[in-house]
Amino acid sequence: MLSFLWPITQKVASEINGDVEITWYQGKKLLDTKNANFSYGSLDLILEEAFKYTHIKQKDTVLILGLGGGNFIKKIQQDFLHTGKITAVELDKEIIRIAKDEFGINTNDKIEIFHQDAAKFIKNTKNTYDFIFVDIFVDNLVPDFFYSTVFWNSIYSVLKPKGRFLFNAGILLKNSTKLDLIVQSLDKKMILFKKEGINKTNTLLFGEKS
Ligand SMILES: C[S@@+](CC[C@H](N)C(=O)[O-])C[C@H]1O[C@@H](n2cnc3c(N)ncnc32)[C@H](O)[C@@H]1O
């Protein structure tokens, strides 16, 4: 109740993202870094907007690159009654602990969490997925590798036929050329759709394998 009067924040040091903050704000628990919301704040609004343009089927096999606090998992379970298999990959050990202890994201026969670099995971996985959410940030930046054609060719190859992806492609990217290479390399084999200014800040790229 106190969080309706003022935010209550706990700071935790993490090896990859620096200090992260778990904040109770207006009755909701958020996960922030110094310069960005990772989960349950603006990400929740961004997902709300994203799901006007894409969808998840109840039994879809879902891959999440960048677990964060598990906002996406809770959202698809709530909005799409998703009950299929979810695989989440997260580089930051402390973030995995926070997802479990602070946000109740537990592994079970439907949810598996890999403590690994997503770049390595995507190169080695033998599985294929119906839906991939690429949401990799260190603080407020997407590391360059996740704009590379090498990475996106791997994403393409692990998507099932008719599989879809959602890429949270960056903050204040307007007029940037960062997505051009991805679009060029996938344009002939996928239906792509870019949306800028989501929640006034974020660029999203949507794709569906034809
Ligand atoms: C915006 S948060 C993800 C939010 C999350 N998708 C959710 O639904 O709550 C970005 C995450 O990417 C993770 N990350 C950064 N670099 C990574 C990498 N190379 N491999 C896997 N995860 C990475 C960060 O530690 C952080 O937890």
Side-chain angles (χ1 to χ4, degrees):
M1 293 299 279
L2 279 178
S3 75
F4 283 95
L5 299 175
W6 57 78
I8 302 165
T9 297
Q10 180 198 346
K11 258 194 191 170
V12 180
S14 92
E15 73 192 91
I16 308 292
N17 293 290
D19 282 351
V20 297
E21 294 182 352
I22 301 150
T23 300
W24 276 103
Y25 178 65
Q26 303 203 326
K28 259 181 87 173
K29 213 189 225 185
L30 320 175
L31 177 62
D32 296 315
T33 56
K34 183 159 179 262
N35 299 298
N37 171 257
F38 262 8
S39 308
Y40 303 103
S42 57
L43 180 66
D44 209 44
L45 301 173
I46 288 162
L47 293 176
E48 194 79 44
E49 196 68 12
F51 291 147
K52 292 180 184 162
Y53 306 99
T54 191
H55 65 284
I56 303 218
K57 294 184 201 135
Q58 219 176 3
K59 296 281 179 199
D60 274 353
T61 48
V62 171
L63 174 66
I64 302 165
L65 301 180
L67 168 70
N71 196 162
F72 188 78
I73 294 180
K74 289 202 178 168
K75 188 93 184 143
I76 64 174
Q77 290 176 337
Q78 185 189 306
D79 290 13
F80 300 104
L81 305 177
H82 182 263
T83 53
K85 181 105 197 271
I86 297 175
T87 303
V89 183
E90 171 59 56
L91 183 61
D92 193 327
K93 193 160 55 128
E94 190 57 22
I95 295 284
I96 295 178
R97 187 203 61 76
I98 289 170
K100 289 183 176 166
D101 295 353
E102 300 287 342
F103 296 101
I105 302 295
N106 293 308
T107 48
N108 52 42
D109 58 337
K110 291 281 161 52
I111 301 177
E112 58 181 351
I113 299 173
F114 287 87
H115 175 214
Q116 215 182 88
D117 187 334
K120 201 167 163 195
F121 177 91
I122 205 74
K123 193 170 148 219
N124 295 330
T125 183
K126 301 275 180 283
N127 295 326
T128 54
Y129 303 90
D130 294 304
F131 194 98
I132 302 179
F133 181 35
V134 181
D135 191 23
I136 296 178
F137 283 78
V138 174
D139 191 17
N140 60 351
L141 289 176
V142 178
D144 278 342
F145 179 74
F146 298 100
Y147 295 107
S148 72
T149 48
V150 176
F151 173 71
W152 283 95
N153 286 338
S154 302
I155 292 285
Y156 179 80
S157 65
V158 302
L159 272 175
K160 290 184 196 279
K162 298 273 174 207
R164 284 143 286 131
F165 74 74
L166 168 63
F167 178 30
N168 190 3
I171 300 172
L172 302 177
L173 269 195
K174 222 167 182 204
N175 302 324
S176 147
T177 54
K178 285 196 170 193
L179 290 182
D180 293 355
L181 274 182
I182 304 172
V183 172
Q184 273 167 29
S185 71
L186 296 179
D187 208 19
K188 291 206 169 61
K189 35 193 193 178
M190 296 193 80
I191 302 160
L192 297 174
F193 170 59
K194 181 169 90 169
K195 192 96 181 101
E196 289 176 329
I198 298 274
N199 197 35
K200 301 207 177 88
T201 50
N202 283 52
T203 298
L204 298 180
L205 184 68
F206 302 81
E208 180 171 338
K209 205 166 179 173
S210 25

